[in-house]
């Protein structure tokens, strides 16, 4: 089973990495979304004056930089990315309160030592490492347990995990093509999200788990994210998971290990089988074409 999963992940990662590092999807999405949603969300959480924020799938870090500059408090920010070394346009600020951790850092490998040996008040995961792990098309069971464990370890007792929470109705499959096509071109104003939100994936996960260990207290924030000329800001919504709920979800995922592992592996097996059938069909087409050519030459 594991070989099927490894095969599928390696093929997918190569394609996504190229678009992530060299495409324009991040800057185009940023221009169409803005940062008001994040600025207002942090205000609603009523964080301490010296709150600490972590974002470990930050890409260039533009949203975080806007929130940092707009804050009327004295926060400490820590950013990183699994492709950090290969991203050329990472945000840089003078001073020691806005930190982009160097190197290619997997979110689940972040430790307290890397963020000053103090827990975080907020972890921002907007279609980030958790979103990736929840999606059985992309992640693995080990990814899911790893990222939930890391976030649980990094959050303070009263800390929050901030996630995207827009509705399924705001996503259409045709938007995927639109999003991908325009992400390859600079300065395109996106009108739709090209991915399902974390809300969709986390609800799908929890729906299939035993509720014995589950405390499902995910709180949607009532922030006004709308900005003129930014279409995505009109549909962007966010929610928070507190430390107690995060621990409950982690316990539930561990308690349902066999069920979840089989879901990830069955999908990988199906994808591998589909790939083999496509290759066989391709080879058959070539063979038939050659035979037809030979017959016409007789």
């Amino acid at each position: 089973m594991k070989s099927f999963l490894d095969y599928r992940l390696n093929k997918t990662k190569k394609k996504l990495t190229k678009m992530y590092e060299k495409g324009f999807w991040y800057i185009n999405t940023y221009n169409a979304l803005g940062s008001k949603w994040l600025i207002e969300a942090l205000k609603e959480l009523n964080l301490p004056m010296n709150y600490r924020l972590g974002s470990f799938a930050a890409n260039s870090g533009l949203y975080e930089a806007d929130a940092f500059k707009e804050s009327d408090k004295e926060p400490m920010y820590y950013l990183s990315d699994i492709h950090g070394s290969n991203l050329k346009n990472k945000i840089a600020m003078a001073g020691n309160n806005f930190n982009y951790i160097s190197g290619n850092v997997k979110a689940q490998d972040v430790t307290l030592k890397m963020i000053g040996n103090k827990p975080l008040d907020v972890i921002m995961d907007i279609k980030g490492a958790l979103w990736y792990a929840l999606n059985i098309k992309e992640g693995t069971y080990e990814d899911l347990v790893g990222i939930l464990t890391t976030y649980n370890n990094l959050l303070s007792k009263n800390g929050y995990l901030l996630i995207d929470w827009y509705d399924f109705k705001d996503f259409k499959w045709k938007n995927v093509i639109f999003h991908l096509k325009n992400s390859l071109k600079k300065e395109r104003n996106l009108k739709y999200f090209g991915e399902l939100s974390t809300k969709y994936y986390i609800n799908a996960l929890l729906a299939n788990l035993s509720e014995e260990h589950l405390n499902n207290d995910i709180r949607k924030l009532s922030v006004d994210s709308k900005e003129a000329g930014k279409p995505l800001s009109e549909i962007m919504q966010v929610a928070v998971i507190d430390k107690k709920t995060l621990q409950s979800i982690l316990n539930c995922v561990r308690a349902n290990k066999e069920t979840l592992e089989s879901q990830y592996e069955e999908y990988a097996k199906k994808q591998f089988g589909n790939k083999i059938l496509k290759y066989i069909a391709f080879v058959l087409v070539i063979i038939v074409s050659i035979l037809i050519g030979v017959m016409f030459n007789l």
Side-chain angles (χ1 to χ4, degrees):
M1 285 289 188
K2 195 167 181 63
S3 62
F4 292 128
L5 194 59
D6 290 340
Y7 173 85
R8 190 260 301 173
L9 284 176
N10 289 334
K11 296 289 287 185
T12 302
K13 285 177 180 177
K14 288 181 181 179
K15 295 178 182 178
L16 292 178
T17 297
K18 183 176 181 181
M19 190 180 81
Y20 189 83
E21 294 177 0
K22 299 180 180 180
F24 300 106
W25 74 269
Y26 179 85
I27 188 63
N28 288 347
T29 301
Y30 170 78
N31 289 335
L33 176 58
S35 300
K36 186 180 178 183
W37 59 271
L38 177 57
I39 295 167
E40 295 300 318
L42 295 175
K43 288 180 181 177
E44 185 172 329
L45 292 177
N46 194 26
L47 298 165
M49 177 59 68
N50 301 107
Y51 77 87
R52 295 165 56 81
L53 179 146
S55 179
F56 306 120
N59 201 292
S60 295
L62 297 177
Y63 304 103
E64 295 87 344
D66 288 345
F68 182 85
K69 289 183 287 187
E70 290 293 324
S71 178
D72 57 359
K73 301 185 177 184
E74 298 176 5
M76 178 76 74
Y77 280 32
Y78 290 94
L79 282 61
S80 68
D81 197 279
I82 192 171
H83 301 290
S85 295
N86 304 323
L87 298 170
K88 298 179 180 179
N89 299 313
K90 296 190 296 292
I91 200 73
M93 288 191 185
N96 298 318
N97 281 15
F98 192 92
N99 308 278
Y100 203 115
I101 302 170
S102 61
N104 295 335
V105 182
K106 290 183 67 174
Q108 65 192 61
D109 293 337
V110 176
T111 64
L112 280 172
K113 184 178 180 180
M114 297 166 69
I115 57 171
N117 288 311
K118 293 181 180 179
L120 300 167
D121 298 294
V122 182
I123 294 176
M124 175 179 159
D125 191 295
I126 305 301
K127 287 182 286 189
L130 177 60
W131 176 90
Y132 182 93
L134 285 166
N135 183 353
I136 64 172
K137 298 179 182 179
E138 312 293 350
T140 66
Y141 174 79
E142 289 75 17
D143 288 334
L144 181 57
V145 172
I147 195 60
L148 289 173
T149 301
T150 295
Y151 284 174
N152 191 54
N153 292 339
L154 296 180
L155 272 182
S156 65
K157 181 179 179 181
N158 297 313
Y160 297 100
L161 174 60
L162 179 68
I163 57 177
D164 54 288
W165 204 249
Y166 58 85
D167 292 328
F168 181 78
K169 66 181 177 62
D170 295 320
F171 173 88
K172 297 181 177 64
W173 287 111
K174 67 179 182 180
N175 299 350
V176 177
I177 298 174
F178 176 90
H179 187 84
L180 292 176
K181 179 180 177 181
N182 289 281
S183 291
L184 299 176
K185 300 176 182 179
K186 196 173 183 179
E187 298 179 355
R188 290 301 180 97
N189 196 12
L190 301 178
K191 299 177 182 178
Y192 319 104
F193 284 114
E195 311 94 355
L196 293 165
S197 76
T198 302
K199 176 181 182 178
Y200 173 83
Y201 288 117
I202 204 166
N203 283 340
L205 169 77
L206 300 182
N208 292 320
L209 300 184
S210 163
E211 296 187 4
E212 180 182 355
H213 301 274
L214 185 59
N215 168 31
N216 185 8
D217 188 21
I218 300 173
R219 176 163 63 95
K220 178 183 174 182
L221 300 183
S222 57
V223 300
D224 178 11
S225 63
K226 295 181 180 179
E227 293 187 62
K230 298 184 181 299
L232 296 184
S233 71
E234 298 182 9
I235 54 177
M236 181 60 170
Q237 299 178 62
V238 292
V240 289
I241 302 175
D242 61 27
K243 178 74 174 273
K244 183 178 179 181
T245 302
L246 184 62
Q247 179 66 69
S248 175
I249 293 174
L250 175 57
N251 292 343
C252 191
V253 166
R254 285 173 171 164
N256 289 268
K257 179 180 179 180
E258 291 185 5
T259 299
L260 290 173
E261 281 186 329
S262 65
Q263 288 178 2
Y264 281 102
E265 291 175 356
E266 280 300 315
Y267 184 85
K269 182 178 179 181
K270 180 180 178 181
Q271 289 299 98
F272 183 82
N274 290 341
K275 184 75 71 172
I276 294 298
L277 289 175
K278 288 179 181 178
Y279 284 139
I280 292 173
F282 179 71
V283 171
L284 288 174
V285 168
I286 293 176
I287 293 173
V288 170
S289 299
I290 292 173
L291 291 174
I292 292 173
V294 171
M295 290 175 63
F296 273 105
N297 289 327
L298 289 178

